[in-house]
Amino acid sequence: MAKERSSSSEYTGPVRRLLLSVIVLCLLAIFLVWRIDSPRVERFRAQVTDTFVPRLDWAMAPVTGAINLLKDFQSYQRLADQNRELRSELRRMQAWKEAALQLEQENARLLDLNNVRLDPRLTYITGVVLADSGSPFRQSVLLNVGARDGVVDGWATMDGIGVVGRISGVGENTARVILLTDASSRIPAVIQPSGQRVIVSGDNSAAPPIEFLEDSDLVRPGHRVISSGDGGVFPAGLLIGQVALDPTGKLRVRLAADYQRLEFLRVLRHHGTDPVSDTAQIIGPQLPAQPVVAQEEVSQ
């Protein structure tokens, strides 16, 4: 038995070395053939590729199937995450819908109790944003409505939620809108619930600063900022945004309008307030003047 094991080990070692040498020589030959730059060798490589590569699809089938399975699993996982996010967002939207319905009913009751008549002149026209300035030093967009639609300089524009800017430059078919973030924009506003009157001044940043604030102790981050209507240019009560505090401690406005998706803008038709021509009629009825001669006769 010992002799058989020794004889088999004597034959196994040389055979292994021979097979290893043959494999190394084959690999070296394949490497050299694939590196030789010759038309004949190129044709030979093309024939070998056409002969053997299509027949190796069965060998790549498990790898391809595993890759496709992994991709399908990842897509299913993304779909599951999106479904969870959509369900949570739907629950939040239902809560907001219920709150909006309650506020609408309350507003209707209050208007009915106070017999409030809304201004019929405060209508709007919707325009499509054609282009923006594309400059960091001038924040403006171009609308496809103009003088033919009755647009006037100074009218406010909104994106449906918050104020975006004002009309500054009207053509026959287009109008330029200066955004609230532009350095030339100044809008009088009111901070609720404190009632502080301020100026929202643009500085070419996404959150314009608040200026001319009398008492900063009454203002907190999260307070609403609305237009005050001072000057008769903007209507009062338009939502601008919320108060925010920057890292330097300065109060700014987090704008309610989505400036990243400005596709349609509402141009509010606001003709200002009616001027007061006779102040005496507001204070009280004018009394008839007594003649001075009658007073002198009574004194005599």
Side-chain angles (χ1 to χ4, degrees), residues 181-215:
T181 56
D182 189 81
S184 62
S185 176
R186 302 289 187 275
I187 294 180
V190 176
I191 300 178
Q192 293 180 341
S194 63
Q196 296 285 313
R197 293 186 177 271
V198 296
I199 296 294
V200 178
S201 177
D203 61 348
N204 292 329
S205 64
I210 295 175
E211 296 181 353
F212 302 105
L213 180 61
E214 294 182 0
D215 192 355

Side-chain angles (χ1 to χ4, degrees), residues 143-162:
L143 296 181
N144 66 338
V145 291
R148 64 175 183 179
D149 304 296
V151 178
V152 179
D153 276 343
W155 282 359
T157 58
M158 304 181 66
D159 69 342
I161 299 177

Side-chain angles (χ1 to χ4, degrees), residues 13-33:
V15 170
R16 289 179 179 176
R17 288 192 293 272
L18 179 61
L19 290 176
L20 183 60
S21 302
V22 171
I23 292 173
V24 171
L25 290 176
C26 291
L27 293 176
L28 184 61
I30 293 173
F31 176 75
L32 292 176
V33 168

Side-chain angles (χ1 to χ4, degrees), residues 37-103:
D37 189 8
S38 175
R40 294 182 179 179
V41 177
E42 182 65 29
R43 288 194 296 270
F44 174 73
R45 288 199 296 264
Q47 291 178 358
V48 170
T49 303
D50 294 338
T51 302
F52 291 99
V53 171
R55 297 180 182 178
L56 294 178
D57 291 341
W58 61 270
M60 295 298 297
V63 179
T64 305
I67 293 174
N68 294 332
L69 183 62
L70 181 60
K71 290 182 179 179
D72 293 339
F73 176 76
Q74 292 176 350
S75 64
Y76 291 150
Q77 187 176 6
R78 287 194 297 268
L79 288 176
D81 295 339
Q82 291 177 359
N83 287 333
R84 284 194 297 269
E85 293 177 0
L86 288 175
R87 283 195 294 268
S88 62
E89 185 175 357
L90 180 59
R91 287 193 295 269
R92 290 194 299 268
M93 292 300 295
Q94 289 175 351
W96 280 108
K97 179 182 178 181
E98 183 65 24
L101 290 176
Q102 293 177 0
L103 290 175

Side-chain angles (χ1 to χ4, degrees), residues 191 200 206-211 213 216 219-225 240-256:
I191 300 178
V200 178
I210 295 175
E211 296 181 353
L213 180 61
S216 60
V219 179
R220 295 289 183 271
H223 286 183
R224 297 174 75 250
V225 181
I240 299 177
Q242 294 180 346
V243 177
L245 195 65
D246 65 1
T248 62
K250 189 174 184 178
L251 293 176
R252 293 179 175 269
V253 179
R254 184 184 296 110
L255 299 176

